[in-house]
Amino acid sequence: MNDMGKALESVREREPLVQCITNFVTVNDCANIILACGGSPSMAHDKREVEESVAVSQALVCNMGAIEDTEAMILAGKEANRRGIPVVLDPVAVGGTQLRRDSAKQLLENVKFTAIRGNASEIKYLAGQETLGSGVDVSREDAVTSVSLLKTADLVKNLAISTGSVIALSGESDIISDGKETVILKNGCATMSRITGSGCMVTSMIGAFCGAMPDDGITAVCSAMAAMGIAGEKAEADRIAKGTGNATFRTDLIDAVFNMTGEGLNKGARYEIIR
Amino acid sequence: MNDMGKALESVREREPLVQCITNFVTVNDCANIILACGGSPSMAHDKREVEESVAVSQALVCNMGAIEDTEAMILAGKEANRRGIPVVLDPVAVGGTQLRRDSAKQLLENVKFTAIRGNASEIKYLAGQETLGSGVDVSREDAVTSVSLLKTADLVKNLAISTGSVIALSGESDIISDGKETVILKNGCATMSRITGSGCMVTSMIGAFCGAMPDDGITAVCSAMAAMGIAGEKAEADRIAKGTGNATFRTDLIDAVFNMTGEGLNKGARYEIIR
Amino acid sequence: MNDMGKALESVREREPLVQCITNFVTVNDCANIILACGGSPSMAHDKREVEESVAVSQALVCNMGAIEDTEAMILAGKEANRRGIPVVLDPVAVGGTQLRRDSAKQLLENVKFTAIRGNASEIKYLAGQETLGSGVDVSREDAVTSVSLLKTADLVKNLAISTGSVIALSGESDIISDGKETVILKNGCATMSRITGSGCMVTSMIGAFCGAMPDDGITAVCSAMAAMGIAGEKAEADRIAKGTGNATFRTDLIDAVFNMTGEGLNKGARYEIIR
């Protein structure tokens, strides 16, 4: 993995256009956090135009929260693959319904993903494990504990090898692997699960970082996730100091990404690399 | 009606999963206020998966702002009914167009609702009265005044009896009835009508409260509406003190729900029960 | 052009109902800024009901971000035209894809617009010029500079004459023309392009202003755009003073519109009229 701070500076310099096909719940937050980190968002999702849209973009984000747009994701994903544009998948609630399992199958069969980010239930489902996730949030049974951390890291690494994608499992500790390097990231705070869209937003940021550095997926993914986690820590400190709640936390989180510097990212990131 | 503070604590303990089929205007706010009060939101709305989604939920919210999802609401509503999961209806702008009148008719014929919450125009329409509401906001002619309060309370009570639902009419005074008890709730502030989504948000909270206490509809509905009103009063005091506007008010409103305690709810609630 | 402050006061007095057919990314912000300036928003977009919705409204806004709702826009636009209700077009990313070029063609052939507001790429496309805009943001090549300002003002004026609409080109300097008067407006700040929805929001406000003063398009459009720019300057001053970011900026921007007075609008507006 290369320098995270330089990765952020690279997003700010290159202003990658990130084409997102994403859900109506958090689409506004996703657009604003892409802008906050230095990218430029396009939220077009009509299957009649996404191929044209992605053709002028530097990255594509497919968020399965927009389950009705699966066909658009496949069209856009194939076009991105043809052009060598990075594609990021957020397999929202993938194990929860038959529709989502089918959608994920189609997406993975048709599109090569640069990176896939999900919670423990979602990543475990993709790795072929039984999961107990019933919705967009990780189930308690699937949550990664200090006991299960190394075992889960192996699962993440193996999924990275079998898919050829950088795999990122979000949780109290994030686990990120490209099959060669596996990184445990310890930034973030519990309040991030008290707003909607923490996951969608970090996936969108991963799109921006991959767009700025398409040839260094592991650095792009780790940098975006560390930036999100550090922003969450800043927003949490503000929340506690000011006695505010989850709505202000969301605003402060995006602000913290907006104001983050490369130096701040490097100083704040807490991680270890497991070979 | 039972203790409101305990109702809020019960939402915090049980963390009900609330499946919402709701409109794209305020869906993000609805998800965040469900999280603020202690619930867990799922905003899936595709008719191919809502039955599966609702089957693992503790409550279903049908918001007619998502008028294109009427079929999904009926499928999910029937499944919820089969499983004894509470269903809450927000009849957004029901009298305004033929499409909405038809949609409401289909919903009421096919689904048994635990609770229905609307403004005076919407509730009067459901009660079979002529109304003058032309959109999502209550019409001036329909607004409940001190003169018409008791008469309107009778209308609400009778609609509760005829539908078997807890009926909640939002306004300067809220009127809530399950046909046995009728409650006049006096919390809230005028700025709540200067943001979009006050109504949708409180209906979503009613879903969370019903999910936590499915056998005590009147307490669930009154507690959610009182919590919203008290949060509005807190946000309004902040707005006046800080000279902010409606956007900060929205943020402060959700924050106030996030920080509300059972004790604070009991202390802040102003209501009288009319037998 | 008539008094801007009085225009704002007129919105506050008349509370025009503004029917918007707009995109899912910024729909919540559009509704809240309409409320902030004194209007009342309706975001219905189903083609089965938009004619009924617009019939009771004072203005219609068609935002091409909602590209899948083109048919609804045409139905609603024709109904508005029949009733003499002002219609405002935001040609989002119009040159970017074939779908959008086709949609714009259909809209312009079927609906008479009171006002059309876009960025330089979008307005130049409508004027028949080659543009290089690839998405929702203006391309660097299309951005208006001090050198090209007068030439672009001619383009805007000529498009106003040929369409019979007030044309508003947003940028570092806004250019607005009804074919008789051409106004250069110098309010605003660069951070407005670091949030999603600045353009959509000002177009929504133009709808509210046109709804309040349907017979004075040039004043309505200039007043709405000046109000937005001044609000942006206020929010930018706050951002710099408080060290916040783009998310707080968005909140402060809407708040600044909420708190704007007619006097404040007249004092803050910086413009010159070119005959």
Side-chain angles (χ1 to χ4, degrees), chain A residues 152-162 177 179-180 182 275:
Chain A
T152 309
D154 278 344
L155 177 147
V156 169
K157 181 183 172 178
N158 290 332
L159 184 59
I161 292 169
S162 67
S177 180
K180 285 166 254 156
T182 301
R275 288 284 158 189

Side-chain angles (χ1 to χ4, degrees), chain A residues 178-226:
Chain A
D178 63 356
K180 285 166 254 156
E181 278 183 312
T182 301
V183 181
I184 310 290
L185 197 58
K186 293 172 182 172
N187 294 102
C189 69
T191 305
M192 294 175 81
S193 63
R194 297 291 300 279
I195 59 167
T196 191
S198 288
C200 302
M201 282 192 271
V202 74
T203 302
S204 301
M205 285 229 286
I206 289 171
F209 278 73
C210 286
M213 42 200 309
D215 300 323
D216 190 356
I218 186 81
T219 305
V221 174
C222 289
S223 304
M225 293 186 79

